[in-house]
Amino acid sequence: MAAHRKPRQRSLSGGTARTAATLALAGAASATAFDGTGHAEPRLSPAEVKSKVDSLYHEAEIATEKYNGTKEKAEKTEKSLGELRDEAARKTEKLNAARNSLGSYAAAQYRTGGIDPSVQLALSSDPDQFLDRAALADRAGSRQAAAVDDVRRQLRSIDQLHSEADVRLDALRARQAELRKHKKTVTGKLGEAKRLLARLTADQRARLADDEGDRAARSADRHAPTGAPSKAPNARAASAVSYAYKALGSPYVWGATGPNAFDCSGLTQAAYRSAGVSLPRTTYAQIAAGQRVSRGELRPGDLVFFYSGISHVGLYVGNGQMIHAPNPSAPVRLAPIDQMPFAGATRVV
């Protein structure tokens, strides 16, 4: 496979093209293994590019959902850490006040010289008055002893808060490191998809987009309503569906939850948030956020999930259709639920 030779061009298609591509890859690998020389990537057909790009988008979406879940945990950890620090500050302020009170008592004792009670009795002109004062001093001493014990308890409580805060800070740092890892995976997959698409001409990219739109339209025709459209099971579901329709055309941005851009679980979360319902952030948590329903029981507003790892979600709107945020190559749009491997559905209650 000398680099300076130009092989004769011949038109290939279908299985022949795939076989040729496979042989070219195998030949390049063999040459590299023998002489250590690298070769340019084989030219892929538009269909092969699309297949690879779709696979990369799916892998990026899996990593995106992991990123979303870790981000949600990190935010909760950060919030709880702040609450712990606030509580420690309040208790420290209370402790300082108690210490100041004890300091005032100690200073008073020092000023009186700690005179022995028998001496005070001998010097007192009124023994009854002295006995009253002695009893009062005993009670005051008991109160101060209790105050000392309270200070010790407060110190232990503050130490415990600081220890717990250290643990949560370590957990936060670990989650932040995990976030960076997932972000690197997502951006790497999306960058690779972008590079593959850049190898196509503008006309080839346009044809792929047109083909995708035609397939969606044909599927929509197959699922066109033949009777009365199904209704949402409740007002919240109807409100979520209305929000999703208004979001049509919004761009897909990984990690986004609206109002101007979304990823798949960000769209469903935003739709139900508009209806006053709080959904978890990720697909694999959203599937457990309501009552599971079968495919045959679907009604508008149900959440529909795809792939074995529950890595994609859409909002069912009736007649076999959903509104979803597919991937960076397409905006929020209407699509058939049989477009991807169906994994289950949940009705938000």
Side-chain angles (χ1 to χ4, degrees), residues 112-181:
T112 61
I115 299 175
D116 185 88
S118 60
V119 176
Q120 292 185 34
L121 179 59
L123 296 176
S124 174
S125 58
D126 185 346
D128 289 336
Q129 185 182 48
F130 167 76
L131 291 175
D132 289 340
R133 290 176 177 172
L136 181 63
D138 285 341
R139 288 196 296 274
S142 297
R143 285 196 299 273
Q144 293 303 324
V148 170
D149 288 340
D150 183 57
V151 166
R152 288 178 180 143
R153 282 193 299 272
Q154 290 183 55
L155 280 169
R156 286 195 296 269
S157 177
I158 291 171
D159 285 343
Q160 184 177 354
L161 285 173
H162 285 158
S163 296
E164 190 173 348
D166 288 342
V167 170
R168 294 192 190 181
L169 180 59
D170 289 341
L172 177 60
R173 287 171 175 163
R175 282 169 180 155
Q176 288 171 336
E178 191 177 353
L179 274 176
R180 290 191 292 271
K181 181 187 75 173

Side-chain angles (χ1 to χ4, degrees), residues 109-328:
Q109 289 290 92
Y110 177 79
R111 285 194 299 271
T112 61
I115 299 175
D116 185 88
S118 60
V119 176
Q120 292 185 34
L121 179 59
L123 296 176
S124 174
S125 58
D126 185 346
D128 289 336
Q129 185 182 48
F130 167 76
L131 291 175
D132 289 340
R133 290 176 177 172
L136 181 63
D138 285 341
R139 288 196 296 274
S142 297
R143 285 196 299 273
Q144 293 303 324
V148 170
D149 288 340
D150 183 57
V151 166
R152 288 178 180 143
R153 282 193 299 272
Q154 290 183 55
L155 280 169
R156 286 195 296 269
S157 177
I158 291 171
D159 285 343
Q160 184 177 354
L161 285 173
H162 285 158
S163 296
E164 190 173 348
D166 288 342
V167 170
R168 294 192 190 181
L169 180 59
D170 289 341
L172 177 60
R173 287 171 175 163
R175 282 169 180 155
Q176 288 171 336
E178 191 177 353
L179 274 176
R180 290 191 292 271
K181 181 187 75 173
H182 292 319
K183 181 177 181 179
K184 183 178 180 181
T185 300
V186 173
T187 54
K189 299 291 182 184
L190 295 181
E192 189 177 350
K194 186 176 180 180
R195 286 190 295 274
L196 278 171
L197 288 171
R199 293 165 63 180
L200 300 178
T201 67
D203 286 343
Q204 287 174 327
R205 289 195 294 270
R207 280 198 296 272
L208 285 179
D210 290 342
D211 289 345
E212 185 70 23
D214 289 343
R215 280 194 294 272
R218 287 194 297 271
S219 182
D221 289 341
R222 288 198 304 272
H223 293 90
T226 56
S230 57
K231 294 183 179 180
N234 53 58
R236 295 185 298 276
S239 179
V241 169
S242 176
Y243 181 96
Y245 269 105
K246 292 174 184 175
L248 286 171
S250 299
Y252 177 101
V253 174
W254 74 273
T257 59
N260 300 315
F262 307 88
D263 62 19
C264 69
S265 55
L267 174 63
T268 50
Q269 186 186 51
Y272 268 100
R273 184 171 60 234
S274 74
V277 179
S278 178
L279 285 184
R281 179 63 183 92
T282 63
T283 52
Y284 47 82
Q286 288 182 5
I287 197 171
Q291 174 187 342
R292 295 295 294 273
V293 294
S294 69
R295 185 166 178 163
E297 297 171 318
L298 285 174
R299 294 176 68 184
D302 291 345
L303 303 178
V304 283
F305 300 89
F306 303 91
Y307 300 103
S308 60
I310 317 296
S311 58
H312 191 77
V313 62
L315 190 72
Y316 188 70
V317 295
N319 304 312
Q321 302 283 300
M322 66 175 171
I323 293 175
H324 73 139
N327 56 56

Side-chain angles (χ1 to χ4, degrees), residues 8-86:
R8 185 186 308 169
Q9 298 298 316
R10 187 172 60 174
S11 175
L12 298 175
S13 62
T16 306
R18 285 190 293 273
T19 302
T22 302
L23 290 172
L25 283 171
S30 300
T32 302
F34 282 105
D35 61 18
T37 304
H39 295 273
E41 292 182 74
R43 183 174 296 279
L44 301 176
S45 70
E48 288 170 327
V49 168
K50 182 184 183 305
S51 177
K52 284 182 174 289
V53 166
D54 287 346
S55 178
L56 286 166
Y57 280 155
H58 181 217
E59 292 168 9
E61 191 163 49
I62 293 171
T64 295
E65 289 305 307
K66 290 179 180 178
Y67 173 90
N68 292 338
T70 304
K71 186 171 185 287
E72 185 178 44
K73 290 177 182 177
E75 287 170 349
K76 289 180 179 177
T77 302
E78 191 170 15
K79 181 181 178 183
S80 66
L81 178 61
E83 290 170 349
L84 276 177
R85 286 171 170 166
D86 289 345

Side-chain angles (χ1 to χ4, degrees), residues 320-338:
Q321 302 283 300
M322 66 175 171
I323 293 175
H324 73 139
N327 56 56
S329 72
V332 174
R333 65 184 179 187
L334 193 67
I337 63 171
D338 61 3

